[in-house]
Amino acid sequence: MRTRSFNEEDSGILYLVATPIGNLSDITLRALEILKSVDKIYAEDTRTSGVLLSHYGIKTKLESYHNFNQDEKTLDVVREIRNGMKIALISDAGLPVISDPGYKIVAKAREEGLRVSTIPGASAGISALIASGIAPMPYTFYGFLDSKSSKRKEELKDLKYLKSTLIFYEAPHRIHETLSDMEEILGDRYCCLARELTKTYEEFITGAISSINKEEYKGEMVVIVEGYKEDNTLVDDPNKKIDEMISLGYKPNDAIKEVAKMFNLDRKELYKNYTFYKNNRGE
Ligand code: SAM
């Protein structure tokens, strides 16, 4: 099936409109025009979106569409588009559908051959990725891991051998345990915690997972984790073994030599990895 977003006929359409992820100015001119001109806006939280809309003097009718009413609302929204209405869907922040409701409407509208158009803009994951300094491609966007540690670890096991950079969303009250699970399952990889993007306290914390998991972080955050490499997962145990041997009185070079033999690793490579590990654990 082919559906053109911009055609002569005045049929209904669903616009997926990006809104700011913090800084109210991060919205496109086209997004504002569309939000002003559509028949109705569906928002995840009408109070949150009300603030944005009144900031830009937009008085379009606003209705809620969220995780708890999406099954029944999907049919209403699709019926409205079918009847010729122009509808915009927004979420509390960034792109609707991305770790936010909306997928069901889009899938149903596509199934019915209705027009769906995307109005791009900010999204926290991609914004964090490009500023992280970690290989941007290929990447796997995962969003939120499960809130229960046992399920989260299972999810991480499935991701462990992916070579692509991993993008996660996490809430501040869970970041400590999530980073601990990541260290345990993925190994002590290089990562970047990007918090409060586009806001006054925007900050990027980089280093080995263990090194950044030493303090409390507040606000909204994205975690970008380096993908699987033979060395970044393998070094996890050898590095700890080297630390252990140094603490037992070995000279660093002797410990590296011994551990290289123990794990059947190239001594020079292990030396390089251990130096990186040491420099990035924030001691
Ligand atoms: N739809 C949004 C998008 O396109 O990025 C994501 C919505 S999801 C429900 C909310 C999560 O996105 C937050 O818990 C946080 O992980 C991330 N996030 C949103 N805004 C952020 C910001 N300004 N800085 C860092 N992370 C942010």
Side-chain angles (χ1 to χ4, degrees):
M1 190 181 318
R2 288 171 76 163
T3 317
R4 296 186 70 168
S5 297
F6 306 104
N7 55 18
E8 305 282 298
E9 57 184 288
D10 202 22
S11 59
I13 186 164
L14 173 67
Y15 292 108
L16 303 167
V17 182
T19 56
I21 57 169
N23 188 321
L24 282 190
S25 301
D26 291 334
I27 188 158
T28 68
L29 296 175
R30 197 153 80 97
L32 293 174
E33 277 164 26
I34 281 168
L35 292 175
K36 270 184 199 148
S37 67
V38 289
D39 299 305
K40 199 193 274 186
I41 300 171
Y42 279 96
E44 194 188 355
D45 182 328
T46 50
R47 270 183 305 178
T48 307
S49 297
V51 175
L52 175 77
L53 298 178
S54 75
H55 180 80
Y56 285 104
I58 296 169
K59 299 196 171 72
T60 310
K61 185 170 180 220
L62 192 59
E63 214 172 296
S64 77
Y65 178 88
H66 48 67
N67 281 330
F68 307 105
N69 70 2
Q70 60 175 322
D71 284 340
E72 41 173 308
K73 276 284 166 97
T74 295
L75 299 176
D76 294 344
V77 181
V78 170
R79 190 180 319 110
E80 288 169 348
I81 302 166
R82 205 189 300 125
N83 289 341
M85 281 177 74
K86 295 182 173 26
I87 303 286
L89 178 72
I90 58 178
S91 66
D92 287 355
L95 295 175
V97 182
I98 295 298
S99 293
D100 271 330
Y103 168 67
K104 286 187 176 175
I105 308 183
V106 179
K108 187 87 183 112
R110 284 266 170 246
E111 197 184 298
E112 295 200 15
L114 299 169
R115 292 192 299 153
V116 178
S117 187
T118 184
I119 312 299
S123 190
I126 291 286
S127 304
L129 175 69
I130 61 168
S132 68
I134 298 176
M137 284 157 331
Y139 69 81
T140 295
F141 174 79
Y142 199 83
F144 290 99
L145 288 157
D146 201 272
S147 57
K148 286 202 198 79
S149 180
S150 55
K151 277 201 173 168
R152 190 160 56 224
K153 285 184 187 174
E154 287 306 311
E155 292 174 314
L156 287 166
K157 281 179 194 162
D158 287 341
L159 300 172
K160 178 167 178 162
Y161 294 105
L162 289 186
K163 290 185 176 160
S164 51
T165 297
L166 305 170
I167 306 177
F168 299 100
Y169 286 164
E170 193 46 285
H173 65 275
R174 248 192 323 259
I175 188 67
H176 175 64
E177 46 174 291
T178 294
L179 289 173
S180 300
D181 289 346
M182 285 177 178
E183 185 188 347
E184 183 187 325
I185 306 296
L186 303 178
D188 203 6
R189 296 187 192 178
Y190 185 77
C191 73
C192 172
L193 189 148
R195 56 179 287 273
E196 296 292 83
L197 294 168
T198 76
K199 304 182 202 175
T200 312
Y201 296 105
E202 178 179 284
E203 188 180 24
F204 297 87
I205 303 115
T206 54
I209 295 173
S210 60
S211 76
I212 71 164
N213 199 15
K214 284 187 173 152
E215 52 178 287
E216 301 288 313
Y217 298 107
K218 289 193 179 136
E220 298 195 279
M221 58 197 70
V222 178
V223 183
I224 310 287
V225 183
E226 201 175 49
Y228 172 80
K229 287 183 193 153
E230 289 198 359
D231 49 1
N232 72 3
T233 304
L234 275 178
V235 291
D236 184 31
D237 287 344
N239 284 334
K240 287 185 178 153
K241 191 74 195 161
I242 294 169
D243 280 343
E244 189 190 318
M245 290 178 75
I246 292 172
S247 74
L248 291 173
Y250 277 76
K251 289 193 178 129
N253 278 342
D254 292 343
I256 290 169
K257 202 165 130 192
E258 286 307 311
V259 173
K261 268 195 248 159
M262 241 179 253
F263 288 83
N264 200 18
L265 296 169
D266 179 76
R267 187 162 53 89
K268 283 188 184 149
E269 279 300 306
L270 182 59
Y271 181 87
K272 254 183 11 203
N273 281 322
Y274 182 67
T275 308
F276 173 83
Y277 165 79
K278 229 173 48 170
N279 292 340
N280 286 285
R281 65 185 167 187
E283 283 173 358

